[in-house]
Amino acid sequence: MCPVTQPAHPTPPAPPTGPGLTVPPASRHRLTPLLLGLILLSAIPALILAVQRVQHEQAQKTAALVMDYPAVVTQARRFGRDPLDLLAEYQRQGINGVGIYEDVIGNLAQRGEVYLKSGADLRAETGDAAVSPRNFYLRSLKPGVAEALPARYTIPTRTVQVDGQTWTEWPTDPTFLPVGPDEALIGTLKARGFMLVYRPYADDAVREPGADWPDVPFVIFNGEEVIGARTPELLAKINERLGDRVPALIEATPQRGLDTLIATHGAVRTFSVNPAWQQRLDPITLASKYNLAARERSMRLLYVRPYPTINETSDLLSRTSDLLRKSGVTVTQPVIEPFRENTLLRTLSLIGPVAALLLLGLSYPLVRLGLLIAAASGALALVMNRFDPYAGVALIAAVTFPALGLVLRRARVSDWFVATGLSLTGVLFVSALGATKDSVLGLDPFRGVGLTLLLPLLLVAASFLPRQDLRKTIQDVYNAPIKLGDILIMVIAAGVFALVFLRRGNATGASVSDTEAKIRQDLQDTLVRPRFKEMAGHPLGLVGLSGVLPGYFGALLILGGVVGQSSILNTFSHFHTPLLISAQRCFLGLGVGLIAGLIAIQVVRAALHLWRTHGKAPAEVQA
């Protein structure tokens, strides 16, 4: 087998790279102009799709503040308030929707419509031997209510006479059996201008679930599955009975069977905070999370529960309403329109990332090795996305474009702008190919997020291999003398990368500190928060490209710059985040990173000069 030793075409001499910079010069293939032209042409349909996505998202900048009604009732009773009066107070502070749960038989008993007794209690009261202590008994206080209930369920019941009164005997406790909506309450809330969200209960004993749902725009299912999720025939009925109602997709709460309903009715993204977690957050912090959910994660229903005190709840609502207003989010009843993909434009957008991947492979000093690496990267992206061409090529774009610029050019500081321009071009392809009806809802997340940080580093690092027999390179690396300082630097670099990789989603043990969390909250309450990986990665890349550092330090810092470029594409891979929000975050990171990098170059240059000249006479320095 012949070793890979020469590129297809010789590379012109590289320009001066500064003192001590040992990064191998970039290669240039004769097909580079043609492939760049294909990338730019393919970017046109991708740009059109990006504009269409922005137009769709701008029309969706509405959200509803929905208050949990049972929680308001509990709070009002603790303070001797009428629940509807307290709700009206919260309405003036921003609440425009109310979450209403389906009634259960226990609610009918509380409202005095039926009388529910255990068999043991009823027998003790009446002494009637016909009463079974193991059963339960219902009697109407409002005419006809108890008698109408058995027809709703598959539970066998019978009518008995006890002490001259008619009771319905139940073999199980019926307290929590769903009985449909409280129409009187719903009518009252609608008359007061509230948008209603209905929350039905699932129970296998109900004969026709969903047959009497009220006329409301949204339905939130309780628990870990929707009604009928275990029975295809029942799920089909629920799907039909939803009618024009839109099911809620609750953040971080997957529900079995919901995907079937969403395929027909779409979904409204919903943000809710677990009551136990809410108690650990102050109202200002919680308000920031609701604002972030609406502004940056396309949450259209903000489901709110009151705090133990009325003052805390008022602070939460006032702060949330203020933040939403500053973010340009209108509090009203959301109108849900599904995101629509354009198949023709998406297909044309496939060309750009494939051309970029080919160009990347051809630009390696060892062309055959480069093409092998490019082919392996493309195959991995397709496999990770189950051979879906659009999702697979979106991942190809996300790992190729951050590396392409620094493989093509890395001789001077201005090459950072070329790398950034190519990364931003890659953004168009990632959005065009990855943004679908399901992905913008968060149902179909971007597959390969970890690769978007790891693979570009490897792709750029592989381009550092010298133009010689690969076996000789391996031998040179093996025989290279390693100093203790080299080991220390490698350990630090590996540790930094591991931290960046683990922190890619803030969902691991390497989460943010309290101080960083406070900084993030302050930033996101005033503007869109830039990503810290970009604010750190871009300065590293600029310092590395400047050539001010000797030896292999420049190469290490260029790899650090790849992290900044990768983070750009990573930012835009969160399709549930509006495109303009991701763009604001990206350009803030670029601006801060550029300024910090230019300053860092001068600081490093001055520090190195001081290191070399400290304690020396002027004549020694000049020599």
Side-chain angles (χ1 to χ4, degrees), residues 238-394:
I238 294 298
N239 198 14
E240 179 182 352
R241 289 168 179 172
L242 266 175
D244 294 330
R245 306 172 188 89
V246 180
L249 175 64
I250 306 172
E251 174 82 342
T253 308
Q255 293 177 304
R256 181 181 174 185
L258 186 61
D259 54 341
T260 299
L261 306 182
I262 290 176
T264 304
H265 303 275
V268 56
R269 284 176 60 82
T270 303
F271 181 73
S272 176
V273 176
N274 182 283
W277 184 34
Q278 176 171 330
Q279 298 310 311
R280 297 196 294 268
L281 301 174
D282 62 84
I284 303 303
T285 300
L286 184 56
S288 178
K289 295 185 181 300
Y290 278 113
N291 175 59
L292 184 69
R295 184 184 66 186
E296 300 187 20
R297 281 151 51 195
S298 302
M299 300 295 172
R300 312 296 298 284
L301 294 185
L302 306 178
Y303 200 87
V304 181
R305 292 180 177 86
Y307 275 94
T309 68
I310 295 175
N311 287 340
E312 286 178 299
T313 307
S314 296
D315 289 343
L316 167 65
L317 298 179
S318 299
R319 178 63 173 171
T320 301
S321 299
D322 184 53
L323 290 176
L324 291 175
R325 185 169 53 253
K326 291 179 180 177
S327 297
V329 178
T330 303
V331 177
T332 185
Q333 177 176 321
V335 177
I336 307 302
E337 292 289 340
F339 179 75
R340 303 186 187 281
E341 309 105 50
N342 186 311
T343 303
L344 174 61
L345 294 180
R346 292 181 79 204
T347 302
L348 293 173
S349 300
L350 290 171
I351 299 172
V354 175
L357 186 62
L358 178 58
L359 176 58
L360 181 74
L362 292 173
S363 300
Y364 277 58
L366 303 177
V367 175
R368 295 178 192 173
L369 177 64
L371 290 175
L372 181 62
I373 291 174
S377 301
L380 178 61
L382 289 172
V383 168
M384 290 197 67
N385 285 277
R386 305 166 189 171
F387 295 99
D388 179 338
Y390 298 110
V393 177

